Amino acid sequence: MMTSELPIALDSLAIVVNAENTDVDDITLDELKQIWEPDSEVTSWSDVNPDWPDEEIGLYGRPEESGTFDYFTEAVVGEAGAIRPDYETDSRGRRAAGHPLDFGPDARRRVAGSQRSGHSS
């Protein structure tokens, strides 16, 4: 019997809003672009959407060496590698807080690589 492969996906990236983040029900690619583009001046949720709280957004993401970084910047910002420079990494140079498998105590506050500061756990 001859078998053949049928690829259904080569790569994917899921962007989700945690159900416990009651201020942001969903986020569009346009809103993500406003947050992450290289010349972004967004510092609070209300800068993106006036219905969202006037609270600081803490930015976390993958390192520049990551394939996820390239895909995220291309899909969200429109150009691979193009991103604002003021987001954080962990001590090993990884953007651990934005890692898709990060289930730490603050993970519920993260939205698409960003974190809402000042929100009680």
Side-chain angles (χ1 to χ4, degrees):
M1 183 170 139
M2 187 173 173
T3 62
S4 61
E5 287 186 24
L6 176 62
I8 57 170
L10 300 177
D11 202 353
S12 66
L13 177 67
I15 299 173
V16 297
V17 176
N18 191 293
E20 293 184 39
N21 184 333
T22 58
D23 297 311
V24 180
D25 293 328
D26 57 32
I27 191 163
T28 67
L29 281 174
D30 224 18
E31 291 164 337
L32 286 169
K33 183 176 182 177
Q34 289 177 49
I35 295 169
W36 288 100
E37 60 192 347
D39 58 350
S40 176
E41 295 183 11
V42 169
T43 59
S44 70
W45 290 104
S46 61
D47 290 341
V48 179
N49 181 329
D51 295 332
W52 293 345
D54 186 21
E55 295 185 25
E56 181 180 4
I57 300 174
L59 300 170
Y60 302 87
R62 301 289 296 147
E64 293 179 11
E65 303 80 32
S66 165
T68 304
F69 172 88
D70 289 336
Y71 181 78
F72 179 84
T73 54
E74 185 173 350
V76 172
V77 178
E79 179 183 342
I83 198 167
R84 64 189 293 167
D86 59 339
Y87 69 109
E88 295 183 30
T89 66
D90 72 3
S91 62
R92 293 171 291 200
R94 295 184 316 217
R95 310 273 183 189
H99 191 278
L101 299 179
D102 174 27
F103 295 107
D106 293 328
R108 71 178 186 83
R109 294 188 241 163
R110 286 195 192 83
V111 179
S114 62
Q115 176 182 12
R116 177 179 160 198
S117 300
H119 185 68
S120 61
S121 297

